[in-house]
Amino acid sequence: MGFLKQLFGGKDPVARIRQLAARQEWAELLGALRNLDRSGLSAEVLADVDRLADEAGDQLARLNLDEGDWAARNGERLKAREHYSLAGEQVRSTELRAQIEAAQLRLASGASGATDAAEATAGLGCGSSCGPTCGPQPLAPLADSPADLDEEERLDLLLATLPPELATMYRQADPTLRQAWLAAQDGDDDRAGTLLDQVAPGERTALFHAERGALLARRGDQRAAMRDLQQALALDPTLFPAFDTLVAVMAQANLLAPLKQLLTQTIAEQRFVPYCWARLAELHTRQGELPAALAAGLQAIELGESSADLKLLCAQLLEREQRFAEAEGLLRQLPAGGCGGGIHPLHAEFLLRRGRDLNKVLESFKGALRQERDNPRWPLRIAQTYLAKGWKKEAAAQIDILLSRADLSAELRSEVRATADRLA
């Protein structure tokens, strides 16, 4: 037990772990558990340790799932993918794992519900430059609620959200397949599966295999899902939803080498080229191949891929290479928060690191805080901006509040303490 005494200052290690749990310092708790010498601990204590490990993993996974959902609603697909991936690595419970996998597949398919849209709209705040009538405006009421629409009207409503060619495919599909698709859109996978089983063999087109592959993936049957999705692409190599879902399933299954080969081969075949370069950028990043990630990401942007998350990734990699002007050029393209203009908070963080335009930076962080009042990141950034402007008293007030919070991640708490040290 000498190692434990050294690690925990002579205190009971499990008591220390429980203290970390009480403070909700989940990342530090998992770190302590990784270093825990389990020999000599009773079965009862080990059971408690395992319970705390499961709780910490699920708490961190839930945080990353929530962050991923927030990013997805704001169009930051890469950021959402990263948070979902982290959540998948951290999760312990079967129920939460299913939620994470469902979120990953929704992201891959580009699906979003009315709830997501409403939450994203409700979260928008206004900057100080907004006019007196500015603020979240009520949405125009729908002529009919979903319950008032017949199947054909619901189909028209949903198809209007799809690219025209894909909408035509669904409209011309077997009626049972259309009903299965509608059931899947309603989140009723059991009914969707039953209906897909009823589609006649002669009607099992590329679209059928794409739908069944997506359903199997949501159910966690990755091998069967990949077989269906590959069959869909064999029948119709241009069916992008099948390809996008296949990429997501392979990434989720950690089939990174085959996925890289698939993306490279698809580029060679001149299919989905900007998309494939963007996914290669993510894949190279995941594998720590940062120069290759930057090259792939810039190629995707040059070919027209315009997602905010890809631009952010490339900006971060450019900044890492000290190509500051190019990095800022991409960050300038990120949408500003609020209706009064201004700059995106991630652009503001870049400027804060460079010590530039601090008034704009401060306004951006204040706007972000209005939108995410419980996110400790923004009070910290405000404090750091105050400090950069020489306003130590104002910075200290923010830091004191942050130091008293129990919900800071280990990384954020370390940054808060480092900022506090600069105030000393």
Side-chain angles (χ1 to χ4, degrees):
M1 300 292 286
F3 171 76
L4 294 175
K5 290 182 179 179
Q6 180 181 358
L7 181 63
F8 294 106
K11 296 181 179 179
D12 175 6
V14 178
R16 169 61 175 161
I17 288 169
R18 287 173 179 148
Q19 186 180 32
L20 290 171
R23 295 206 301 263
Q24 299 183 1
E25 296 181 9
W26 306 116
E28 291 184 15
L29 188 153
L30 286 178
L33 288 172
R34 281 192 293 270
N35 293 320
L36 179 63
D37 182 1
R38 300 170 69 94
S39 63
L41 298 180
S42 68
E44 182 180 358
V45 170
L46 286 173
D48 198 31
V49 164
D50 290 339
R51 179 187 62 79
L52 290 172
D54 289 344
E55 182 180 4
D58 280 347
Q59 290 287 350
L60 288 172
R62 171 65 66 184
L63 288 172
N64 274 299
L65 176 59
D66 291 344
E67 287 289 328
D69 289 343
W70 184 88
R73 287 196 295 268
N74 286 275
E76 299 178 7
R77 288 172 58 86
L78 177 59
K79 184 177 179 182
R81 284 175 188 267
E82 290 174 345
H83 279 294
Y84 290 153
S85 178
L86 281 173
E89 294 171 5
Q90 295 159 337
V91 68
R92 303 298 180 93
S93 71
T94 302
E95 181 181 355
L96 185 54
R97 183 178 297 279
Q99 293 178 35
I100 294 164
E101 291 174 353
Q104 289 174 314
L105 290 166
R106 282 197 305 273
L107 183 69
S109 65
S112 62
T115 300
D116 289 342
E119 288 177 355
T121 304
L124 295 177
C126 302
S128 61
S129 55
C130 298
T133 61
C134 182
Q137 300 299 313
L139 299 174
L142 295 174
D144 297 285
S145 69
D148 297 328
L149 302 176
D150 61 28
E151 182 176 303
E152 190 64 27
E153 289 171 328
R154 288 178 61 244
L155 182 66
D156 289 339
L157 187 64
L158 289 169
L159 292 180
T161 68
L162 299 180
E165 291 182 4
L166 186 60
T168 299
M169 291 179 66
Y170 277 107
R171 190 173 295 282
Q172 295 175 350
D174 178 81
T176 306
L177 176 56
R178 281 203 307 271
Q179 290 174 0
W181 179 69
L182 287 171
Q185 298 304 302
D186 291 338
D188 190 349
D189 280 347
D190 289 339
R191 174 170 164 74
T194 299
L195 288 166
L196 286 171
D197 288 341
Q198 296 172 8
V199 174
E203 299 293 339
R204 297 193 172 189
T205 60
L207 199 59
F208 165 84
H209 288 286
E211 281 299 317
R212 191 169 69 176
L215 174 62
L216 289 166
R218 289 195 296 273
R219 288 176 169 174
D221 193 345
Q222 295 172 334
R223 290 186 180 276
M226 285 188 283
R227 285 196 298 269
D228 255 320
L229 295 166
Q230 288 163 347
Q231 178 64 17
L233 291 165
L235 293 170
D236 184 356
T238 67
L239 188 56
F240 176 73
F243 185 78
D244 189 27
T245 306
L246 177 60
V247 169
V249 172
M250 292 179 73
Q252 187 179 13
N254 208 36
L255 299 172
L256 303 188
L259 176 54
K260 187 179 293 185
Q261 182 178 0
L262 172 66
L263 293 169
T264 304
Q265 179 62 32
T266 306
I267 290 172
E269 295 169 359
Q270 290 297 300
R271 291 185 295 121
F272 319 129
V273 175
Y275 169 88
C276 288
W277 279 119
R279 299 292 79 76
L280 277 173
E282 297 174 7
L283 187 54
H284 284 305
T285 301
R286 182 171 172 177
Q287 296 180 311
E289 302 163 350
L290 300 187
L294 177 57
L298 292 177
Q299 181 70 16
I301 291 172
E302 183 178 345
L303 292 172
E305 187 74 16
S306 60
S307 65
D309 53 328
L310 179 64
K311 291 176 180 177
L312 173 59
L313 170 62
C314 289
Q316 292 171 334
L317 295 174
L318 286 166
E319 185 178 2
R320 180 177 176 273
E321 294 191 358
Q322 299 186 21
R323 294 161 63 177
F324 299 121
E326 294 170 81
E328 186 170 5
L330 290 177
L331 291 170
R332 286 183 183 277
Q333 298 175 33
L334 298 179
C339 50
I343 58 176
H344 192 282
L346 299 178
H347 184 191
E349 288 183 332
F350 170 86
L351 292 174
L352 176 59
R353 290 191 293 271
R354 309 298 299 155
R356 291 176 37 213
D357 299 327
L358 295 179
N359 288 334
K360 290 182 179 179
V361 166
L362 184 59
E363 185 61 29
S364 176
F365 293 150
K366 288 182 176 180
L369 180 60
R370 283 190 289 270
Q371 295 184 36
E372 294 183 278
R373 294 187 180 277
D374 293 330
N375 189 339
R377 177 180 180 177
W378 306 126
L380 174 59
R381 294 291 177 258
I382 290 170
Q384 290 169 335
T385 308
Y386 285 154
L387 185 57
K389 291 169 70 70
W391 300 353
K392 289 191 174 184
K393 182 178 178 181
E394 291 81 356
Q398 294 284 344
I399 293 299
D400 286 344
I401 295 172
L402 286 167
L403 286 172
S404 68
R405 291 182 61 159
D407 61 343
L408 300 183
S409 66
E411 181 180 0
L412 202 61
R413 184 171 295 278
S414 175
E415 195 174 351
V416 170
R417 288 170 176 162
T419 305
D421 289 343
R422 293 168 56 197
L423 288 166

